[in-house]
Amino acid sequence: MYNKIPTLKEIAQRLKISVSTASRAMHNHPSIGLRTKTEVQQLAKELGYEPNQTALFFKQQKTHVVGVVLPNLKEEFFSQAINGIEYVAKENNYSVLIGQSHDDVEQEKQIINTMKNHRVDGLIVSISKYTKDYDHLTALEKYNIPVVFFDRVPGISFVHKVSSDIYESTKQAVEFLINNGHRRIGVINGPNEMKSCKERTDAYMKVLKNKKIKIDLSLVVFTDLTQQKTFEAMIELLKLKRPPTAIITINDYVALDAIQYARKAKLKINKDICFVSYSNLPITNYLAFPPLASVEQYPYEQAKKATEILFELLNKTNNNEEKIFYRDVIIKGQLIIHKK
Amino acid sequence: MYNKIPTLKEIAQRLKISVSTASRAMHNHPSIGLRTKTEVQQLAKELGYEPNQTALFFKQQKTHVVGVVLPNLKEEFFSQAINGIEYVAKENNYSVLIGQSHDDVEQEKQIINTMKNHRVDGLIVSISKYTKDYDHLTALEKYNIPVVFFDRVPGISFVHKVSSDIYESTKQAVEFLINNGHRRIGVINGPNEMKSCKERTDAYMKVLKNKKIKIDLSLVVFTDLTQQKTFEAMIELLKLKRPPTAIITINDYVALDAIQYARKAKLKINKDICFVSYSNLPITNYLAFPPLASVEQYPYEQAKKATEILFELLNKTNNNEEKIFYRDVIIKGQLIIHKK
DNA sequence: AAAATCCGCACAATCGGTTGCATAGGGATA
DNA sequence: TATCCCTATGCAACCGATTGTGCGGATTTT
């Protein structure tokens, strides 16, 4: 036999008072008599009454839910990000609705639409690697549902975003390799439409130019981050007349595959060929052949900051007049040199 | 300037009809004239109208949200599980509200309470390693919110659960080691209150007894799965007069720490000492010194099955009379031998 | 031509909680 | 004793969508 979750109505009926009185009594409204107040609060406690969030939505137009859309949770980068989001959400008494796009634009659109229909108060988004137009996202802003992007952010200016300074980190990475004597540096990059990938390429070129090292475009390969494509990229790089002595990979997962391939090709890691990567996954500590260095991108901090911005936007009495000031926060990365 | 998310009311006002007519028109109700129907549906499309899930809750008493509570998403085991949950949820047009307990009982209680207040239709739960009483969970069933546990399930019978057959897998693991000539087999186990840990111990004893190998209880160490405790466990095991030649660890993360310690202690992995573990994390493929074997526990399948059961429960017209039949599904594990 | 039928739509209640406004009833003041 | 005021409470509207019921008007039937 099931009980119902207690409602104000029930409390009111039992005490033979009106629902409105019960409501006010719960909120310690001054116009309610002390006796009634204590009676109501007492009974509420006994029954374990707590207000129905779903019902509250009507009056307050707030669901107290933030939506999170990201490519996948499998990557530790994103599960750490979730922790940052959850932390801030909790502080603000919010819950987190999660959807994974699995790097599929259609799924991303669907998820975001579902979240709209659930009337999430705001959204934290890291876009899929193939997302090129952002209409499904900017549309939400029209409905006054703020969206803050992190890490995988769109390359447009009229959105709020928090991202890692890939350009700067990449410069450091390339300089680090050059200082270690490398002149032939390969890049296994992601799709060049991704903002961060373009920054990698640009930074790479910039440093080589500064250091007066000849740029060889056959050293820069674009992939879709799958293991298959990584292997193909390695084949391509290794069969060059003058193959690279160091390779920068777009992230540690790709680095792992690339290193695996290099080992199969009988290359000595960190001797015949060096790898530098991004993400600085904890798991690399357990590897016999980790990348030589990896750029820590602080996913927790990125996501935390993005969520803080979201709550700033939510708490702002949204003045239609005021011109929107779009936030663009950069979280500096750090090149972590792994001790051998 | 912001637009409002379109509502039925708006459509009704524009067409100068009542809201109820608009609603029926959207649902192709037979009593609505063809002309009105097409007008409404046309306008709905133009405005991008879609029903407000939150409002729907009132009439249908369904939020179309399932709650998921698990220790953390960082472990790939759980992020894979989420995929299984998300998959089934999506099939049923449901969204997923996520909370991590971080293995803290208080947080677990809070999250579950929040989920209750959000009126999730059902819950998928993997309990924290310290959860010993289940009142906060079984209470939900009283409110007719079904709960299905997976992997970390309570050791009580009157709940629905899907779990891995740890007892059987552990027998296989121990037999595997014995067949490879090991006689001194250590166990780095988790807290013995965890159902799965007790099963490990029991299975271990059982096999040794069957094989007439003397049981030495100093070979079985209980930890809380932290790196610190794992190191301490290793110290304890290695300082024994006759230290183990093989160690079974509760999961791959613990195995990684244990292996790391063993290497620091100058032991040759898979020679001086072997490791067998649980989870079969993909990452172990990249390790130079992976455990010799690991029990694949199929988190995706476990979680998928748990969610399927949840939807069975949700779709059942809940007959108060009928005695509840509690599901207890076992997903068989498989001992995966890593090729060296 | 009066009565029965039926189509197409509107009204109103409902879900749970909040909140502006009205009001009963008791005590204080003139 | 009449007037005023104030306290404590109730009423009702509202949020968005659904759904049972009721009804006007046109068509069909007798």
Side-chain angles (χ1 to χ4, degrees), chain A residues 85 124 148-150 161-162 301-311:
Chain A
I85 296 170
I124 302 287
V148 182
F149 296 88
F150 80 97
K161 55 189 175 215
V162 177
E301 282 73 17
Q302 274 194 54
K304 186 161 171 281
K305 185 67 194 172
T307 314
E308 282 164 1
I309 291 174
L310 184 66
F311 279 105

Side-chain angles (χ1 to χ4, degrees), chain A residues 1-7 47-58 63-66 73-76 79-80 82-83 86 90 93-102 107 110-111 113-119 141-145 227 253 256-257 260 263 281 283 285-289 318-320 324, chain B residues 1-7 47-58 63-66 73-76 79-80 82-83 86 90 93-102 107 110-111 113-119 141-145 227 253 256-257 260 263 281 283 285-289 318-320 324:
Chain A
M1 184 52 189
Y2 298 118
N3 299 324
K4 274 184 50 194
I5 301 185
T7 63
L47 297 180
Y49 166 80
E50 291 183 66
N52 181 334
Q53 288 291 336
T54 309
L56 285 180
F57 160 75
F58 276 110
T63 48
H64 287 266
V65 174
V66 288
L73 289 165
K74 207 179 58 194
E75 289 180 40
E76 196 162 342
S79 58
Q80 280 184 36
I82 288 287
N83 287 346
E86 216 188 23
K90 191 170 204 166
N93 274 315
Y94 264 68
S95 297
V96 178
L97 200 64
I98 287 189
Q100 303 179 66
S101 69
H102 297 287
Q107 279 196 55
Q110 263 189 41
I111 290 166
N113 193 48
T114 307
M115 297 213 165
K116 187 200 81 191
N117 291 342
H118 275 285
R119 299 298 189 272
E141 296 237 306
K142 288 226 187 72
Y143 292 140
N144 200 19
I145 301 177
Q227 189 181 53
Y253 294 102
L256 294 183
D257 289 326
Q260 198 181 43
R263 291 192 61 216
L281 291 180
I283 197 73
N285 291 323
Y286 296 101
L287 297 174
F289 304 105
N318 59 324
N319 190 337
N320 268 338
I324 305 172
Chain B
M1 182 54 188
Y2 297 119
N3 299 323
K4 273 184 49 193
I5 301 186
T7 64
L47 298 179
Y49 166 80
E50 290 183 67
N52 180 332
Q53 288 291 334
T54 309
L56 244 45
F57 160 75
F58 276 110
T63 48
H64 287 267
V65 174
V66 289
L73 288 164
K74 207 180 58 193
E75 290 181 39
E76 196 162 341
S79 59
Q80 280 185 34
I82 288 288
N83 287 346
E86 215 188 27
K90 191 169 204 169
N93 274 314
Y94 264 67
S95 297
V96 177
L97 200 65
I98 287 190
Q100 303 180 66
S101 69
H102 296 287
Q107 279 198 53
Q110 264 190 39
I111 290 165
N113 193 48
T114 306
M115 297 217 166
K116 187 200 81 192
N117 291 342
H118 274 286
R119 299 298 189 272
E141 296 238 306
K142 287 226 187 70
Y143 292 140
N144 200 18
I145 300 177
Q227 189 182 53
Y253 294 101
L256 293 182
D257 289 328
Q260 197 181 45
R263 291 191 62 216
L281 291 180
I283 197 72
N285 291 323
Y286 296 101
L287 297 173
F289 304 105
N318 60 324
N319 190 338
N320 267 338
I324 306 172

Side-chain angles (χ1 to χ4, degrees), chain A residues 9 26 35 37 44 55 66 91 120 126-127 129 144 163 202 247 254 270 319 334:
Chain A
K9 195 178 171 183
M26 286 304 295
R35 181 205 188 84
K37 257 187 210 172
V66 288
E91 271 190 332
V120 295
S126 197
I127 59 179
K129 63 188 171 201
N144 200 19
S163 57
D202 291 350
I247 295 177
V254 169
N270 291 341
N319 190 337
Q334 179 158 8

Side-chain angles (χ1 to χ4, degrees), chain B residues 8-9 20 23-24 27 49 56:
Chain B
L8 270 190
K9 195 178 172 182
S20 48
S23 169
R24 274 184 261 254
H27 294 285
Y49 166 80
L56 244 45

Side-chain angles (χ1 to χ4, degrees), chain B residues 26-83:
Chain B
M26 287 303 295
H27 294 285
N28 279 313
H29 192 283
S31 82
I32 302 297
L34 182 60
R35 183 205 188 88
T36 312
K37 258 186 209 172
T38 43
E39 276 180 3
V40 169
Q41 293 181 3
Q42 172 77 21
L43 185 57
K45 201 174 219 168
E46 272 175 39
L47 298 179
Y49 166 80
E50 290 183 67
N52 180 332
Q53 288 291 334
T54 309
L56 244 45
F57 160 75
F58 276 110
K59 298 304 294 185
Q60 313 187 346
Q61 294 293 335
K62 298 226 168 211
T63 48
H64 287 267
V65 174
V66 289
V68 176
V69 184
L70 34 72
N72 64 75
L73 288 164
K74 207 180 58 193
E75 290 181 39
E76 196 162 341
F77 183 91
F78 289 116
S79 59
Q80 280 185 34
I82 288 288
N83 287 346

Side-chain angles (χ1 to χ4, degrees), chain A residues 83-334:
Chain A
N83 287 346
I85 296 170
E86 216 188 23
Y87 178 80
V88 181
K90 191 170 204 166
E91 271 190 332
N92 288 273
N93 274 315
Y94 264 68
S95 297
V96 178
L97 200 64
I98 287 189
Q100 303 179 66
S101 69
H102 297 287
D103 275 319
D104 178 295
V105 181
E106 269 320 303
Q107 279 196 55
E108 188 175 276
K109 285 186 187 171
Q110 263 189 41
I111 290 166
I112 285 165
N113 193 48
T114 307
M115 297 213 165
K116 187 200 81 191
N117 291 342
H118 275 285
R119 299 298 189 272
V120 295
D121 291 343
L123 270 179
I124 302 287
V125 179
S126 197
I127 59 179
S128 98
K129 63 188 171 201
Y130 301 121
T131 303
K132 289 189 199 80
D133 80 275
Y134 313 107
D135 295 349
H136 55 300
L137 287 158
T138 50
L140 293 181
E141 296 237 306
K142 288 226 187 72
Y143 292 140
N144 200 19
I145 301 177
V147 180
V148 182
F149 296 88
F150 80 97
D151 190 58
R152 301 241 203 119
V153 304
I156 52 181
S157 62
F158 48 94
V159 293
H160 303 281
K161 55 189 175 215
V162 177
S163 57
S164 179
D165 190 352
I166 296 291
Y167 186 84
E168 190 53 39
S169 309
T170 302
K171 276 174 66 179
Q172 284 178 30
V174 179
E175 280 162 6
F176 166 76
L177 285 172
I178 291 174
N179 291 340
N180 278 268
H182 295 278
R183 289 298 175 272
R184 299 281 294 169
I185 300 171
V187 180
I188 300 184
N189 210 342
N192 212 32
E193 300 92 34
M194 277 176 76
K195 181 166 169 275
S196 64
C197 293
K198 191 169 179 325
E199 287 181 23
R200 268 172 255 254
T201 316
D202 291 350
Y204 171 81
M205 310 274 233
K206 175 81 174 172
V207 175
L208 292 198
K209 203 174 276 176
N210 282 352
K211 300 272 183 179
K212 311 222 188 299
I213 297 176
K214 201 184 151 210
I215 291 171
D216 178 354
L217 280 181
S218 59
L219 283 170
V220 181
V221 188
F222 299 96
T223 74
D224 61 358
L225 315 187
T226 59
Q227 189 181 53
Q228 175 62 22
K229 290 285 177 188
T230 302
F231 287 167
E232 287 175 23
M234 285 299 287
I235 294 174
E236 206 174 317
L237 288 175
L238 295 184
K239 79 171 180 207
L240 289 175
K241 278 214 184 91
R242 295 173 53 217
T245 59
I247 295 177
I248 295 179
T249 57
I250 181 169
N251 69 34
D252 281 338
Y253 294 102
V254 169
L256 294 183
D257 289 326
I259 291 172
Q260 198 181 43
Y261 185 89
R263 291 192 61 216
K264 272 193 201 138
K266 305 288 179 207
L267 291 172
K268 293 239 186 309
I269 309 301
N270 291 341
K271 210 169 159 195
D272 300 335
I273 191 158
C274 289
F275 289 87
V276 171
S277 182
Y278 301 78
S279 295
N280 188 34
L281 291 180
I283 197 73
T284 52
N285 291 323
Y286 296 101
L287 297 174
F289 304 105
L292 189 58
S294 187
V295 175
E296 170 63 59
Q297 297 177 290
Y298 304 106
Y300 182 92
E301 282 73 17
Q302 274 194 54
K304 186 161 171 281
K305 185 67 194 172
T307 314
E308 282 164 1
I309 291 174
L310 184 66
F311 279 105
E312 277 174 33
L313 297 170
L314 284 176
N315 294 328
K316 201 163 58 184
T317 51
N318 59 324
N319 190 337
N320 268 338
E321 310 304 312
E322 202 180 328
K323 199 170 170 307
I324 305 172
F325 164 60
Y326 288 104
R327 307 287 305 268
D328 184 357
V329 175
I330 303 290
I331 304 280
K332 271 197 187 152
Q334 179 158 8

Side-chain angles (χ1 to χ4, degrees), chain B residues 161-220:
Chain B
K161 55 190 174 214
V162 177
S163 57
S164 178
D165 190 352
I166 296 290
Y167 186 84
E168 189 55 35
S169 308
T170 303
K171 277 175 66 178
Q172 284 178 31
V174 179
E175 281 163 6
F176 166 77
L177 285 171
I178 292 175
N179 291 341
N180 279 267
H182 295 278
R183 290 297 176 271
R184 299 280 295 169
I185 301 172
V187 180
I188 299 185
N189 210 342
N192 212 32
E193 299 92 34
M194 276 175 77
K195 182 166 171 276
S196 65
C197 293
K198 190 166 179 327
E199 287 180 22
R200 268 172 254 257
T201 317
D202 292 349
Y204 171 80
M205 308 275 232
K206 175 79 176 175
V207 175
L208 292 198
K209 203 175 273 175
N210 282 352
K211 300 274 183 179
K212 310 224 189 300
I213 297 175
K214 203 184 151 206
I215 291 171
D216 178 353
L217 280 182
S218 59
L219 282 171
V220 182

Side-chain angles (χ1 to χ4, degrees), chain B residues 297-313:
Chain B
Q297 296 177 291
Y298 304 106
Y300 181 92
E301 281 73 18
Q302 275 193 53
K304 185 161 172 279
K305 185 68 194 172
T307 315
E308 282 164 0
I309 290 174
L310 183 66
F311 280 104
E312 277 174 32
L313 296 169

